[in-house]
């Protein structure tokens, strides 16, 4: 693999399945991650180093949310950093599949960074509300805590569903076919996509609009959590032997 064009073609052939992926991740984040993965490959970076670059962009943005007074300029900078961090989060896995240098350590590091991101993004909003927000009521301080619970439980529940499903499938007879990729599902998943969630930070210059948008997303993510937990429980129960 020599030039960037060749690397990009190889990366297109090393993509994960589009099943269960929203339109944003499929058509925006993964292609952006592919370009970043090609650049990282040319620069000689390892997948773990790309993961740390993702963490640097993401955590710097979240620190800014917590420490800097909200403004339109801050909102644009935070969104840009979060979007770039999310693209690098896609790039590390693509680079690992391209180079064959992935492993349990890289997967572990990626999940640790992701878990920290989900905890800190809502903690940063809570700190910003407390330090800079002229809140209609102190009850608004509970909103980031509730959103944080929904996000982390969704993340952990999804990981457990994936790992337990793999373990059960390992002992199951072969021959099952994967469900086709659904465009309707890809559209329906848009509100739960992290990349779409990041858009709300563009409203930091208008505190009332930001609170409203953040509250709507919190409700949507909570509803998705309830749906996901029900679905995952039924799927795992169906895998019970006997």
């Amino acid at each position: 693999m020599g030039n960037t064009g060749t690397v990009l073609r190889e990366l297109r052939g090393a993509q994960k399945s589009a099943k269960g992926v929203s339109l944003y991740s499929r058509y925006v984040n993964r292609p952006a991650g592919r370009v970043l993965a090609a650049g990282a490959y040319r620069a000689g970076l390892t997948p773990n180093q790309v993961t740390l670059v993702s963490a640097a962009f993401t955590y710097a943005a979240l620190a800014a949310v917590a420490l800097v007074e909200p403004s339109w300029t801050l909102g644009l900078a935070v969104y840009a950093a979060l979007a770039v961090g999310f693209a690098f989060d896609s790039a590390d896995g693509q680079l690992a599949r391209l180079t064959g240098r992935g492993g349990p350590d890289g997967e572990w590091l990626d999940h640790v960074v992701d878990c920290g991101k989900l905890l800190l993004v809502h903690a940063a909003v809570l700190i910003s509300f407390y330090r800079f927000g002229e809140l209609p009521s102190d009850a608004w301080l509970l909103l980031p805590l509730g959103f944080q619970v929904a996000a982390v439980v969704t993340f952990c529940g999804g990981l457990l569903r994936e790992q337990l499903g793999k373990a059960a499938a390992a002992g199951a007879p072969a021959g099952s076919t994967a469900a086709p990729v659904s465009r309707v599902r890809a559209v329906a998943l848009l509100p739960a996509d992290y990349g779409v969630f990041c858009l709300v930070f563009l409203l930091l210059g208008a505190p009332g609009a930001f609170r409203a948008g953040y509250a709507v997303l919190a409700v949507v993510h909570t509803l998705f959590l309830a749906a996901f937990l029900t679905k995952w429980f039924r799927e795992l129960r169906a895998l019970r032997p006997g």
Side-chain angles (χ1 to χ4, degrees):
M1 287 180 287
N3 58 43
T4 301
T6 302
V7 176
L8 285 171
R9 284 193 295 273
E10 293 289 338
L11 284 165
R12 288 190 189 97
Q15 292 295 298
K16 294 170 66 176
S17 169
K19 181 183 177 184
V21 175
S22 84
L23 287 182
Y24 178 90
S25 286
R26 191 188 306 181
Y27 294 114
V28 178
N29 199 57
R30 284 187 176 180
R34 189 159 59 238
V35 173
L36 294 176
Y41 177 82
R42 300 282 292 174
L45 297 180
T46 67
N48 286 351
Q49 288 171 332
V50 173
T51 299
L52 294 177
V53 172
S54 169
F57 273 98
T58 300
Y59 292 174
L62 300 182
V65 171
L67 301 176
V68 180
E69 186 171 359
S71 67
W72 291 110
T73 301
L74 176 66
L76 181 60
V78 165
Y79 170 71
L82 290 177
V84 171
F86 191 34
F88 271 111
D89 186 30
S90 174
D92 59 5
Q94 296 190 51
L95 181 62
R97 289 187 292 277
L98 175 70
T99 61
R101 299 177 68 180
D105 60 318
E107 187 172 1
W108 175 85
L109 179 63
D110 184 49
H111 290 327
V112 167
V113 169
D114 284 345
C115 188
K117 171 178 69 180
L118 292 177
L119 286 167
L120 292 174
V121 66
H122 301 294
V125 172
L126 174 60
I127 293 170
S128 180
F129 278 178
Y130 181 77
R131 295 187 67 203
F132 306 113
E134 296 180 359
L135 302 176
S137 166
D138 287 344
W140 279 93
L141 296 174
L142 298 175
L143 179 62
L145 294 176
F147 203 157
Q148 185 181 71
V149 170
V152 173
V153 172
T154 300
F155 177 74
C156 294
L159 281 180
L160 284 169
R161 163 63 184 94
E162 180 181 359
Q163 296 305 315
L164 292 172
K166 286 180 180 178
S176 59
T177 57
V181 176
S182 168
R183 183 171 292 272
V184 173
R185 178 178 171 82
V187 173
L189 287 172
L190 274 172
D193 193 292
Y194 175 78
V196 174
F197 163 74
C198 292
L199 289 167
V200 76
F201 289 96
L202 290 172
L203 299 174
L204 278 175
F210 175 78
R211 286 197 305 272
Y214 184 80
V216 168
L217 287 171
V219 171
V220 169
H221 278 246
T222 301
L223 293 174
F224 268 99
L225 171 61
F228 286 148
L229 291 181
T230 301
K231 175 177 180 292
W232 293 333
F233 181 81
R234 289 175 176 172
E235 289 173 347
L236 291 171
R237 188 170 186 175
L239 295 174
R240 183 187 300 175

